[in-house]
Amino acid sequence: MKYPVLTNYIDGKNTPGGNGSLDVFSPLNGELLSRVPMSGASAVNAAVKAGRAAFAEWSDQPIKERVQVFYRYRNLLERDADELAALVTEENGKTRDEALAEVLKSMELTEFACALPQSISGEVQEVSRGVECRSERLPLGVVASITPFNFPNMVPNWTIPNAIALGNAMILKPSEVVPLSAMKLAELLKEAGLPDGIFNVVHGGREVVEAICDHPDIEAISFVGSTKVAKLVYTRATANLKRALTLGSAKNHLIVLPDAHRDMTASNVAASMSGCAGQRCMAASAMVAVGDIDHIIEKLCVEARKIVPGKNLGAVISKQAKERIEGYITEAEAQGATVLVDGRGATVAGSEGGYYVGPTVIDNVTPDMKIAREEVFGPVLPILRAPTVDEAIEIENASQYGNAAAVFTQSGGLARYVAEKADAGMIGVNIGVPVPREPFSFGGWSDSRFGVGDLTGKSSIEFWTKLKKITTKWNPEARSNWMS
Ligand code: NAD
C-alpha cells in the first residue's frame, strides 16, 4: 500500500474511526493506494461537537481577519500545486495537466473568498425620519459539504473557502473513492492558521451522509454528485428543516450549426467530450448536428483520434465505470448507431491494471436511445441529427437535466436565439465547457440542481449566511409613528 491507512480529521487531529474500511485504488494502474474509514454517526457527532466549540471564536472575528487564513491558504495551494496535482492524478486518474488545472481553479476560488470583505457589505438606509435600517450577513454555524469523485481538489474548494471565510465551521465528506486530496487540504488549512475544529473531514459513504442529514446541529448541507443521491440528500436534509443545495448529474448538448467555424468547433467539441475522460458534469455529452455538417464531423473524428489513453487522456474511475461506458456504446451500435471512432477495449502499455476508455464518436444516434438520454460519464460523444435549429433546441430541452448547453455558430443572431431558448443554467457560445468563472456563480437547472441559488461566486454568499436586519432610532425629535 503506497500511503498509510487514512483516518478522519476532527478538531485538528487525525482521528481513527469507522465501522470498517474501504480500499482505495489508483485508476491509472489498479495500485492499492490506501484504505479509508467508513464512518457513521459517532464520527459526525464528534465533528459537530468540535465545530460548535470552535465556531464562537471564529465567527466573532471580523471577516477581514478571517480571510487572512485564505490569503495564506491560496499561496500554499500554489506552493504545493505539483504535489496536489500528482495526488489528484493518482487517486482520480486524470492527466497531470488536468489535475494542475483543478488546483489552479482552487486558487481562483480561494481568491474570491479573500475578496469577500469587499462584496458582503450589508445595506443601510434612513427608512423614516431619524430611523435607520441596517442589514448584516452572519454565519450559520456548523455546515457540511459532500463531494463527488471527479474533482477531488476543486469541488471541495467550491465550498471550503467561502463557507469558512463567511464564519462557518465545516464538515467535509469527500468521495470515499478519492479521499486523499481532502486530507492534504486539511493539512494546508492548518498550516495557513485555521483554528482547530473549523474544518473537519469525515470519511465514508451512505451511512455518514445520512448521519449528516439527520444531525440537529448541522445548519446547512451542500452536495455535489449524481442526481439520484442529490435528490435523496435534498429530501432528507430539508425534511430535517435544514438549508440544502444539491447539485446533480448532467447531459450537456452542444448544438452545432452549419456555419460553425470547422476547426475551432472540432477541436473544442473533442476537448469537451474527452477532458477528464468525460467525467465532468460540464462535458459535452451529446452533440446535435443541424443540417449538413459532415465536414465538421470529419474534422472532429480527426481531432478525437489524436487523443490517446495514457498520453493526453486519463483513466476512468473504476473497472465498473469502464464496463458501464463500453456497455452504452455497444448497445447504441446494436440499435443502429454508427461508431465513427471506437474507444472500447483501450489499454495502456505498462499500466494494464488501469481503467481506460478511448475517445468515442457515435453518429446517427436517435433521441430514444439510452446513450442519448442518460449521463454516460465517459469520453463518448453521441451525435444526433436535426434538420433545423428549433428541432435541435427541442432535443436539448427534452433532457431531464439542465446543467449546461452550448451552440457553435458564426452568427450572433442564432447564438443569441439558442442561448435564450436552451433550458440550462450555463450556456456556452463557441465554448465547449462553459464554466462561469468567479465572480459568476456555478449551478444548473432542472434535475441538475435542487434548492435555490448557486454554489459558488456571489450566489454562495446567500447560501452560507443568514441576514440580520437592525432598525435604530437615537434622537427623540424623530418622535413616534406607526412603527415606533
Ligand atoms: P455520487 O452521487 O455517487 O457520490 C457523491 C457523494 O455522495 C459521495 O460523497 C458519496 O459517498 C455519496 N453517496 C453515494 N451514494 C450515496 C447514497 N446512496 N446515500 C448517501 N450518500 C451517497 O456521485 P459520484 O459518482 O461521486 O460523482 C459523479 C456524479 O457527480 C455525476 O453524475 C456528475 O455529473 C456529478 N457531478 C455534478 C456536478 C455539478 O456541479 N452538477 C459536479 C461534479 C459532479
Side-chain angles (χ1 to χ4, degrees):
M1 191 158 68
K2 178 157 187 189
Y3 297 104
V5 172
L6 292 175
T7 63
N8 292 325
Y9 177 80
I10 296 173
D11 204 15
K13 292 171 221 40
N14 289 331
T15 312
N19 315 327
S21 61
L22 194 73
D23 288 342
V24 181
F25 297 100
S26 175
L28 294 174
N29 49 23
E31 181 188 2
L32 178 64
L33 292 177
S34 183
R35 197 158 290 143
V36 63
M38 297 300 280
S39 312
S42 63
V44 173
N45 291 343
V48 172
K49 196 165 161 225
R52 274 172 70 91
F55 173 72
E57 207 174 317
W58 177 247
S59 58
D60 205 36
Q61 289 185 33
I63 188 163
K64 275 181 177 290
E65 284 174 33
R66 289 196 300 258
V67 298
Q68 297 309 314
V69 169
F70 288 97
Y71 279 104
R72 293 190 289 270
Y73 176 65
R74 182 240 170 256
N75 289 342
L76 295 175
L77 289 171
E78 186 173 36
R79 182 196 70 187
D80 290 354
D82 284 332
E83 190 191 334
L84 292 163
L87 201 54
V88 168
T89 294
E90 253 183 333
E91 65 177 345
N92 170 277
K94 63 181 69 174
T95 67
R96 191 205 168 266
D97 285 354
E98 290 164 350
L100 194 59
E102 192 176 324
V103 179
L104 295 178
K105 182 67 198 178
S106 292
M107 287 162 53
E108 181 175 61
L109 290 157
T110 309
E111 286 158 12
F112 178 79
C114 291
L116 279 169
Q118 274 58 256
S119 44
I120 66 147
S121 304
E123 295 177 319
V124 59
Q125 192 180 118
E126 187 183 46
V127 289
S128 58
R129 193 73 199 104
V131 178
E132 176 192 286
C133 201
R134 167 165 78 84
S135 66
E136 282 175 19
R137 292 225 158 257
L138 299 175
L140 304 173
V142 180
V143 299
S145 170
I146 301 162
T147 54
F149 80 79
N150 62 334
F151 284 94
N153 189 298
M154 180 192 78
V155 172
N157 280 307
W158 277 0
T159 56
I160 297 169
N162 290 355
I164 295 181
L166 288 165
N168 299 289
M170 173 173 277
I171 300 171
L172 174 69
K173 206 304 282 175
S175 164
E176 64 276 37
V177 188
V178 294
L180 293 155
S181 293
M183 297 307 272
K184 186 70 193 163
L185 298 181
E187 261 176 49
L188 295 185
L189 286 163
K190 191 172 178 106
E191 189 180 344
L194 189 71
D196 290 347
I198 294 299
F199 179 69
N200 306 280
V201 181
V202 178
H203 293 289
R206 178 181 176 164
E207 195 182 333
V208 70
V209 169
E210 290 181 352
I212 286 171
C213 292
D214 293 345
H215 200 295
D217 292 328
I218 294 179
E219 306 296 334
I221 300 177
S222 74
F223 170 92
V224 181
S226 63
T227 288
K228 181 177 146 237
V229 185
K231 282 182 180 172
L232 290 173
V233 170
Y234 187 80
T235 309
R236 193 155 178 151
T238 53
N240 284 318
L241 306 177
K242 294 185 196 316
R243 196 178 281 199
L245 185 55
T246 71
L247 273 50
S249 312
K251 188 80 186 172
N252 308 313
H253 291 71
L254 306 189
I255 297 176
V256 179
L257 305 185
D259 73 335
H261 187 284
R262 186 193 69 161
D263 292 359
M264 183 179 79
T265 304
S267 62
N268 274 250
V269 174
S272 175
M273 70 95 153
S274 66
C276 300
Q279 299 173 122
R280 285 188 289 195
C281 66
M282 294 295 282
S285 36
M287 175 173 139
V288 190
V290 179
D292 179 11
I293 64 156
D294 285 353
H295 59 297
I296 299 177
I297 293 174
E298 264 166 42
K299 182 71 179 163
L300 166 65
C301 292
V302 171
E303 293 297 328
R305 289 192 188 96
K306 291 183 195 160
I307 299 164
V308 180
K311 287 199 176 121
N312 51 357
L313 179 65
V316 298
I317 193 67
S318 63
K319 185 164 176 280
Q320 295 86 322
K322 177 179 162 73
E323 286 167 5
R324 189 198 66 237
I325 296 161
E326 294 187 343
Y328 274 108
I329 303 167
T330 303
E331 187 182 305
E333 189 179 39
Q335 290 172 343
T338 319
V339 181
L340 299 177
V341 181
D342 192 350
R344 284 171 290 185
T347 52
V348 171
S351 298
E352 283 75 13
Y355 321 121
Y356 294 92
V357 180
T360 301
V361 180
I362 314 177
D363 202 357
N364 301 315
V365 170
T366 52
D368 54 310
M369 291 182 191
K370 230 164 71 176
I371 201 168
R373 287 181 284 113
E374 298 182 4
E375 183 184 50
V376 176
F377 227 49
V380 178
L381 187 73
I383 300 176
L384 294 93
R385 301 280 183 159
T388 66
V389 68
D390 284 317
E391 279 156 285
I393 293 168
E394 220 171 274
I395 291 173
E396 198 284 328
N397 289 352
S399 169
Q400 72 178 105
Y401 303 113
N403 213 41
V407 56
F408 285 79
T409 176
Q410 296 190 67
S411 154
L414 281 171
R416 193 184 158 84
Y417 184 74
V418 176
E420 275 183 12
K421 299 272 177 199
D423 196 10
M426 294 172 277
I427 306 289
V429 175
N430 297 321
I431 292 184
V433 186
V435 174
R437 293 182 64 171
E438 278 55 36
F440 297 94
S441 58
F442 187 99
W445 292 353
S446 313
D447 277 2
S448 296
R449 197 259 340 244
F450 305 96
V452 177
D454 290 337
L455 195 49
T456 68
K458 285 185 187 167
S459 191
S460 74
I461 297 171
E462 190 95 17
F463 184 69
W464 295 121
T465 58
K466 57 192 176 190
L467 203 59
K468 181 174 269 187
K469 288 71 60 184
I470 302 162
T471 307
T472 309
K473 175 172 72 183
W474 291 113
N475 47 336
E477 67 277 15
R479 295 198 219 103
S480 34
N481 61 16
W482 63 270
M483 54 86 69
S484 300

